[in-house]
Amino acid sequence: MAKSVKVEGTIEKVVFSSGDYHILSLRKSDGERVSCKGSFFPAYCLISGLKIEVQGKPSSNAKYGPQVDVQLWRPLETNSVSDFLRYFVGGIPEVDIGLLEIATKPKGGVKLLLGDPRELAETCTSSSYESLINFVDALVTAHEIISILGSSAITSSQIRVLFDKFGAELKDILKTNPYRLLEAGGNIQFSLVDQVAFSMGFGPDSPIRAEGAVLWALRDALTSGHLCLRRGDLATEVDRMMSGQDEVQTFSGNLSETLIAATERMAARGAVCIDPEVGVYLPKYFNFERGTAKLLTSFLGPSTIELNIQEFIQKYEESQGIELSFAQKEGILKLLESRVLVITGQPGTGKTSLTRALVALFEQAGLQFTLMAPTGIAAKRLSAATGHAAGTIHRTLGYQGDSWAYGEESKFSTDVVILDEASMVDQEVFYQVLQSLSQGTVLVIVGDDAQLPSVGPGNVLRELISSGVAPVVRLDQIFRQAAASKIICNAHSINKGADIDTGDSESDFRFISMPTDKIPDFIVKMAEKLKSRDANFQVISPKYDGVVGVNALNNVLRCALNPASDTKHELKVGSTVFRDGDRVIITKNDYKMGVYNGDTGKLVEIERDQVIVRVYSGGYGVDRLVSFKRSEFGEKVRLAYAITTHRSQGSEYGTVILPFVAEQGRMLQRNLLYTAVTRAKEKVWVLGDMSAIRKAIANDKVVYRGTGLAKALRSEVENAAGK
């Protein structure tokens, strides 16, 4: 990895600007030109002729020559007031820069502003003087803050995040508790804040350092799906952070005592919540979990459906020319007992058929029903299966980016909700669903609990089933049509811990034994053939790194399927280069744009300030052209020649190509293999090592997620029964 470098020079010109992102042409003292690109906060008016220092990672571009990917910058020789203000003016009330230039010129310019600006009183009116003093005070504060932060490894873009989050409060935070900077997010990690705190005189054994470590450990745990951390796991993480390699950072106190004291102080002021039997939570996620338990319990009442169910089942089977399984009939009958019903089962067991039957039942009963799913693709599949409109949870409940149209104050009006692909629903979203519905609503929850859990924190479907508080129908009979598919049969074998049928060239499932180093070339050849046939295919790998990891496969597949050329524009975001024609996947929901996490598409064109993507409908509608701001593209989009199994959740493809090898280590898990295989509709190719397949099948240990939802549900039901 290239080491960070510092480069001084004079700005020749600003080549490109978009928000805080700039590309500058910098001339060094020896005449060499260097292209500098990145975030230049605070840089609201970069000008030619300004001498600056940049710090960042060196790189090279065939067209522009030597480059620096800027992490931090500062101006040099800011002797004029106007230059100084151009650097620091962001977020500070507007002031007449020209007036300040005149007022300060005879008295020392910038030094006066940073020294004693009250000397300007004699050259200003009383009203303008007061405004000026307030302005300069804010200016000096900004200067002090940036000087402090600039001495650490925090980047310009992160400084921007801190200013946006805390504003004028930032100075006091740095002096009293720098670890509060962790509240800002923006990839501001504990190690960076540690550097800031040490520079401010806080030692490695400081009590607030322990509190900061707890806060960061809990926030970091969310990215692994944990709502909370057990005390032992929390202690391990805190110890890892506070006992660093740097001797200066090494914690020397009693960890157990320090941690207990820190969590108790934080709990006393509401910074964390503690369940002695479960673990330590951030308050927001504790409330999501316990609020879910309370709300769901209120739904557990007698059914409001008035219909002869037995008669309905008989007539429905006759009209459809089908025979429902015993479990499917049981599911329909259970709607007479409770307003909450959970339906789970693997592919081929009739979840879709049962859902269609329930929709027909609701129609006959004259009930208003709403169909929803966690992703756009899943919603489109649900709509196609039932013949009725379905929407994403977020769109249905009016999510606007920072708020919901429906919630505690305004309820979503409907008699019945069918929530599909429930394994993908995280704790926060499920809480919002319950909060948005009136207590009289019938809630049908459908999902496959053998699949991977949600990307977001929590394990809602599994916890709901294991709690035992709501009726659960488990579909386990493979229907005759499905039994003919080796994809379906092997999926069931995997889930039961049995060996798979390796298949042959004629079957829809095929395993080919192959050394790891041969797999990339084989995948490329397959992808080229499938692309020439315009087939719907997807390469899925369990992890990002390694020879057959997502990153490496994206590189080799892109070289083969979409090579560089003089006619194709490129955009570099971090270490990723996007190119016209690239296959991409959406990684964040944007409801205004109508794109959802998991949507795939093709990068059509990279323009000066925007990137155009054709978002595929997945066979459930018409493809659409969507325009992304260039500056936010990398946050919402990734290359998708290969994707992780977690990214594939809720989607389906004609053909799935799956490398599975011993080198994938801890990712050799039963539910991960099962999820990947069940993404395919027509063909699965598994490449690699049979011993790795068997190891994964044998590994049925569900990866632990810190959550106490099942416990909380049982407790709420017991409390309700005791009242």
Side-chain angles (χ1 to χ4, degrees):
M1 184 177 292
K3 293 183 178 180
S4 180
V5 297
K6 290 184 179 180
V7 178
E8 292 185 8
T10 302
I11 299 175
E12 283 196 320
K13 64 178 179 179
V14 180
V15 180
F16 175 80
S17 293
S18 179
D20 288 331
Y21 183 84
H22 302 267
I23 302 176
L24 309 178
S25 177
L26 198 68
R27 181 183 288 273
K28 297 166 61 178
S29 58
D30 61 4
E32 180 187 5
R33 289 185 175 89
V34 179
S35 176
C36 302
K37 54 188 177 69
S39 172
F40 280 83
F41 177 82
Y44 304 93
C45 205
L46 287 168
I47 56 173
S48 299
L50 182 65
K51 190 173 182 180
I52 65 172
E53 177 189 83
V54 299
Q55 181 176 328
K57 298 296 178 82
S59 61
S60 183
N61 183 278
K63 183 177 181 181
Y64 298 106
Q67 290 188 318
V68 176
D69 294 329
V70 176
Q71 297 172 312
L72 196 68
W73 83 286
R74 66 186 182 95
L76 303 172
E77 301 177 3
T78 52
N79 292 321
S80 77
V81 174
S82 57
D83 284 353
F84 184 85
L85 293 177
R86 287 186 177 103
Y87 180 64
F88 287 111
V89 76
I92 299 172
E94 293 185 4
V95 161
D96 188 335
I97 294 177
L99 174 64
L100 278 178
E101 188 80 59
I102 295 170
T104 58
K105 192 171 260 186
K107 295 185 175 290
V110 173
K111 291 181 180 179
L112 178 60
L113 287 177
L114 296 179
D116 188 8
R118 289 158 182 80
E119 291 185 21
L120 296 174
E122 61 190 60
T123 59
C124 301
T125 65
S126 58
S127 61
S128 63
Y129 170 74
E130 184 176 352
S131 299
L132 176 64
I133 293 302
N134 292 335
F135 169 74
V136 173
D137 284 345
L139 192 65
V140 172
T141 298
H143 180 260
E144 291 176 357
I145 291 170
I146 292 171
S147 297
I148 294 169
L149 297 176
S151 64
S152 69
I154 291 182
T155 66
S156 292
S157 59
Q158 291 169 331
I159 292 175
R160 157 65 98 175
V161 170
L162 294 174
F163 268 93
D164 289 344
K165 171 70 176 177
F166 299 111
E169 189 186 2
L170 187 54
K171 183 179 179 180
D172 288 336
I173 289 173
L174 289 172
K175 290 182 177 180
T176 59
N177 186 0
Y179 292 96
R180 282 195 59 197
L181 301 183
L182 294 168
E183 299 172 12
N187 198 31
I188 297 172
Q189 300 185 3
F190 181 81
S191 58
L192 292 177
V193 177
D194 240 6
Q195 292 183 35
V196 175
F198 294 146
S199 72
M200 298 297 296
F202 294 92
D205 294 339
S206 169
I208 63 170
R209 187 177 185 230
E211 294 181 13
V214 169
L215 178 63
W216 174 253
L218 293 176
R219 290 184 179 279
D220 190 51
L222 297 172
T223 63
S224 299
H226 302 295
L227 288 169
C228 63
L229 285 177
R230 295 172 293 198
R231 288 184 181 272
D233 296 334
L234 179 59
T236 299
E237 286 301 302
V238 170
D239 182 50
R240 181 181 62 81
M241 289 184 288
M242 295 181 63
S243 302
Q245 299 299 315
D246 188 340
E247 186 177 340
V248 177
Q249 296 186 13
T250 300
F251 174 74
S252 61
N254 184 301
L255 177 65
S256 178
E257 294 178 359
T258 300
L259 183 60
I260 292 172
T263 53
E264 288 180 349
R265 288 194 304 272
M266 296 172 76
R269 65 174 188 266
V272 298
C273 296
I274 302 173
D275 183 321
E277 297 180 25
V278 180
V280 183
Y281 296 74
L282 292 171
K284 175 181 177 181
Y285 295 92
F286 180 84
N287 293 333
F288 287 151
E289 185 179 89
R290 303 310 160 96
T292 293
K294 188 176 291 293
L295 286 168
L296 190 65
T297 301
S298 70
F299 279 75
L300 298 172
S303 173
T304 56
I305 297 176
E306 298 179 0
L307 196 69
N308 187 324
I309 300 293
Q310 292 284 10
E311 182 181 334
F312 165 79
I313 291 174
Q314 182 181 346
K315 290 184 177 180
Y316 181 79
E317 288 180 321
E318 291 173 355
S319 67
Q320 299 298 311
I322 62 171
E323 182 178 353
L324 297 172
S325 70
F326 176 82
Q328 288 176 317
K329 294 176 182 178
E330 182 187 25
I332 298 173
L333 289 168
K334 282 186 179 294
L335 283 174
L336 294 177
E337 304 171 9
S338 174
R339 292 198 300 271
V340 178
L341 176 64
V342 180
I343 300 170
T344 188
Q346 299 169 48
T349 57
K351 291 195 302 295
T352 300
S353 298
L354 178 53
T355 302
R356 281 197 294 263
L358 291 175
V359 167
L361 176 113
F362 301 142
E363 285 183 304
Q364 189 168 325
L367 299 175
Q368 181 184 4
F369 57 90
T370 301
L371 309 178
M372 63 176 74
T375 68
I377 292 295
K380 292 170 184 174
R381 289 169 57 191
L382 179 60
S383 180
T386 61
H388 293 270
T392 65
I393 297 170
H394 292 77
R395 181 173 289 279
T396 303
L397 301 181
Y399 184 68
Q400 299 297 323
D402 55 1
S403 63
W404 300 76
Y406 300 99
E408 188 175 5
E409 301 298 326
S410 178
K411 301 298 182 180
F412 182 77
S413 180
T414 190
D415 297 317
V416 182
V417 164
I418 296 180
L419 175 59
D420 200 17
E421 294 286 358
S423 64
M424 299 177 64
V425 180
D426 65 34
Q427 188 66 74
E428 180 176 358
V429 172
F430 190 63
Y431 170 74
Q432 188 60 46
V433 170
L434 296 177
Q435 193 177 52
S436 299
L437 304 177
S438 61
Q439 291 184 11
T441 305
V442 175
L443 180 60
V444 181
I445 302 166
V446 185
D448 183 352
D449 64 343
Q451 299 232 26
L452 291 170
S454 59
V455 175
N459 204 352
V460 172
L461 182 60
R462 280 181 174 267
E463 288 285 290
L464 181 54
I465 293 172
S466 68
S467 72
V469 303
V472 177
V473 173
R474 185 171 293 278
L475 305 177
D476 53 14
Q477 178 184 330
I478 305 177
F479 283 82
R480 185 179 60 194
Q481 301 93 322
S485 165
K486 279 190 169 56
I487 294 176
I488 299 296
C489 292
N490 276 333
H492 284 258
S493 294
I494 291 168
N495 199 45
K496 292 176 182 177
D499 279 344
I500 60 172
D501 185 333
T502 57
D504 54 41
S505 59
E506 302 300 319
S507 63
D508 60 359
F509 185 103
R510 181 85 184 274
F511 169 77
I512 300 178
S513 180
M514 189 176 300
T516 302
D517 61 344
K518 302 295 184 184
I519 292 176
D521 287 342
F522 188 88
I523 289 177
V524 167
K525 291 176 182 177
M526 289 184 65
E528 288 174 331
K529 289 180 182 179
L530 290 165
K531 183 184 179 183
S532 67
R533 289 186 245 154
D534 200 26
N536 174 21
F537 71 95
Q538 182 63 60
V539 179
I540 300 175
S541 183
K543 56 192 299 188
Y544 281 104
D545 59 349
V547 176
V548 294
V550 166
N551 295 334
L553 291 176
N554 267 323
N555 288 334
V556 297
L557 285 165
R558 200 254 294 270
C559 288
L561 303 179
N562 187 33
S565 77
D566 293 338
T567 61
K568 296 177 182 177
H569 297 94
E570 293 187 349
L571 168 65
K572 186 176 183 182
V573 180
S575 60
T576 303
V577 175
F578 294 94
R579 180 180 300 153
D580 289 343
D582 272 341
R583 183 172 186 169
V584 294
I585 185 169
I586 310 300
T587 58
K588 286 188 178 181
N589 294 330
D590 191 315
Y591 302 99
K592 292 181 180 179
M593 297 170 64
V595 296
Y596 306 94
N597 184 13
D599 284 350
T600 56
K602 178 181 179 182
L603 199 162
V604 176
E605 188 174 1
I606 299 171
E607 300 180 349
R608 183 175 179 86
D609 57 354
Q610 63 180 352
V611 182
I612 311 299
V613 173
R614 180 182 300 279
V615 178
Y616 299 141
S617 68
Y620 301 105
V622 180
D623 296 349
R624 296 183 304 111
L625 292 177
V626 178
S627 174
F628 293 85
K629 293 181 180 178
R630 187 180 175 119
S631 58
E632 66 181 18
F633 185 73
E635 299 175 4
K636 296 182 177 180
V637 180
R638 296 184 69 125
L639 292 176
Y641 297 95
I643 61 175
T644 63
T645 310
H646 288 82
R647 285 281 177 213
S648 74
Q649 287 180 266
S651 298
E652 60 180 13
Y653 312 95
T655 298
V656 165
I657 305 169
L658 174 63
F660 224 76
V661 298
E663 289 86 342
Q664 290 160 340
R666 64 182 184 85
M667 301 303 289
L668 299 176
Q669 302 165 15
R670 182 184 294 181
N671 62 350
L672 194 147
L673 176 61
Y674 171 86
T675 299
V677 167
T678 55
R679 299 308 89 203
K681 294 188 296 181
E682 301 164 7
K683 183 82 173 183
V684 172
W685 294 82
V686 181
L687 313 172
D689 184 354
M690 181 53 72
S691 65
I693 301 289
R694 288 176 176 147
K695 184 176 180 180
I697 292 173
N699 182 13
D700 65 341
K701 184 179 180 181
V702 177
V703 177
Y704 169 77
R705 284 201 164 189
T707 173
L709 179 60
K711 171 181 173 291
L713 282 166
R714 289 190 291 266
S715 178
E716 283 293 336
V717 170
E718 290 171 3
N719 291 337
K723 290 181 179 178

